[in-house]
Every structure is written in C-alpha cells, then in structure tokens.
Amino acid sequence: LNRTDEEILAYKRAVALKPDHAGAYEQLGLAYFKQKRYNESIDAFEQLKTYKPEAKTYNYLGESYFELGKTDEALEAFNNAVGYNPDFGKARYNLGRAYLKLGDRDSASVQYEILRGAMVKRLREHYKIQDERVLEVMNRLPRHLFVPEAIKHQAYKDNALPIASPPWSRPTKPTTSQRAPSPTISAS
C-alpha cells in the first residue's frame, strides 16, 4: 500500500467508528481525488455535505464532477459554493471554467471580471494603490491566461506567481512542409 491508500483506510475506519466525522469525510474525499478516483471522492463529499454544507465542500464536489466530465453537475456545485461564499476565489474561478467548458464564454467572463474586481479592491484598500492607471490595467488583464494550468485558480490572489506563455504565443513545431529549404553548397 502507498501512503494515500493507507490514509484512505484510516479515514474509512474513522467514519465507520464515528459516522458524523466531517473531517474524516473531507480527508477521505481528498485522498480519493488525489488518486483520481473521482466517483469515490464524490461519494465522500456528498456525505460531507450532510455535516459541513459550506463553500469548500461544494467546491470539492464540483472539482470531482468536473474531472469526470460531468460539467452540469460541476456547474451546480460551483454555483452552490459561491452562494455560500461569494468571495471564495477558487470556486469562482472553477465556475468560470465550467461555463467555458459548456461554451458559455459570457458567463465565464463575468466570473473572471468578479475576481479581477475583488483583486483591484484589495489593491486599493489593503495596499493603498491609488494610481488609477495601474488599477485599470489590473482590472482589465485576464491574469489566468498567463499562469500555468495547475495554479490558474490563484491568478487573482495576492501572491507572486510564475508566468507561463499564453496559448496563442507558444511556438509550434513546424511540419516538414513548413520548414525552410536547407541551404545547398555549390561547387563552382
């Protein structure tokens, strides 16, 4: 058994002993998610909803559904998450991803605009940035397009992030027919 398998066994024992142990259901769901056992993570997070109906629980549930390609169910879970906590950036970002997957770019854009607006508010109030030109650029810049996929949900947080090339600027490897002809040397 690997460490995650051992964790799963321990959390399953914990909920067998104490069926209302919310923390065990949460950790069990996360362990299943880590192993890409999304159906089982959904079962654990559904149980968690009974004892801990909050934004984080619904976000976990939405992420599990999203990974299974059940975008409608993911959308509902992410909407519930932001209903519980409208300032939960990860859930709002995930809601935008779900809208994009369903082809609803306008609704996705609304979610990203809300995230940018909250970030600008923090910059203005917490960091006391007063230059309206800076704030306007920060409010318009789709930061999630410039960070690596694994941390896109952090694009509008107050922390430094590595920058990735946006998809439209990444060079592609030319095919044989696109390559320039090789120079030839003549023996004249």
Side-chain angles (χ1 to χ4, degrees):
L1 293 176
N2 67 33
R3 182 161 170 78
T4 307
D5 289 329
E6 291 172 4
E7 290 173 4
I8 289 170
L9 288 173
Y11 296 129
K12 285 172 92 173
R13 279 191 296 262
V15 296
L17 292 171
K18 188 172 186 235
D20 63 346
H21 193 311
Y25 280 117
E26 182 174 1
Q27 293 305 312
L28 179 60
L30 291 171
Y32 281 137
F33 189 89
K34 185 177 179 181
Q35 288 192 338
K36 300 180 187 213
R37 294 165 61 180
Y38 303 119
N39 283 314
E40 291 162 292
S41 70
I42 288 169
D43 292 342
F45 295 136
E46 285 289 348
Q47 287 295 320
L48 180 61
K49 271 186 356 186
T50 305
Y51 306 108
K52 200 174 172 185
E54 64 181 35
K56 199 161 73 166
T57 301
Y58 282 98
N59 187 65
Y60 291 148
L61 191 57
E63 288 176 332
S64 299
Y65 279 125
F66 193 85
E67 291 300 325
L68 281 175
K70 295 182 175 183
T71 313
D72 289 326
E73 292 89 340
L75 186 71
E76 181 180 347
F78 295 139
N79 266 312
N80 282 326
V82 298
Y84 274 96
N85 181 356
D87 298 326
F88 187 16
K90 187 172 186 179
R92 192 161 297 281
Y93 172 76
N94 284 331
L95 182 56
R97 284 177 46 209
Y99 279 127
L100 279 178
K101 186 139 187 180
L102 291 171
D104 188 346
R105 293 179 61 91
D106 292 338
S107 294
S109 291
V110 168
Q111 300 309 311
Y112 301 137
E113 287 169 16
I114 291 169
L115 288 168
R116 285 194 299 273
M119 177 189 62
V120 167
K121 183 178 177 186
R122 281 191 311 275
L123 292 172
R124 181 178 279 124
E125 293 173 3
H126 181 74
Y127 295 104
K128 307 296 183 207
I129 295 175
Q130 300 301 317
D131 189 330
E132 288 300 320
R133 295 171 300 172
V134 170
L135 295 171
E136 175 59 26
V137 167
M138 297 304 286
N139 197 38
R140 287 185 310 168
L141 185 68
R143 291 168 51 122
H144 61 281
L145 298 178
F146 297 94
V147 296
E149 186 65 38
I151 58 170
K152 283 186 180 292
H153 64 277
Q154 296 180 21
Y156 299 99
K157 285 186 158 190
D158 296 334
N159 53 333
L161 299 170
I163 296 174
S165 301
W168 63 84
S169 72
R170 293 187 189 122
T172 57
K173 185 176 180 181
T175 63
T176 307
S177 63
Q178 293 173 321
R179 291 190 187 123
S182 301
T184 55
I185 300 174
S186 65
S188 35

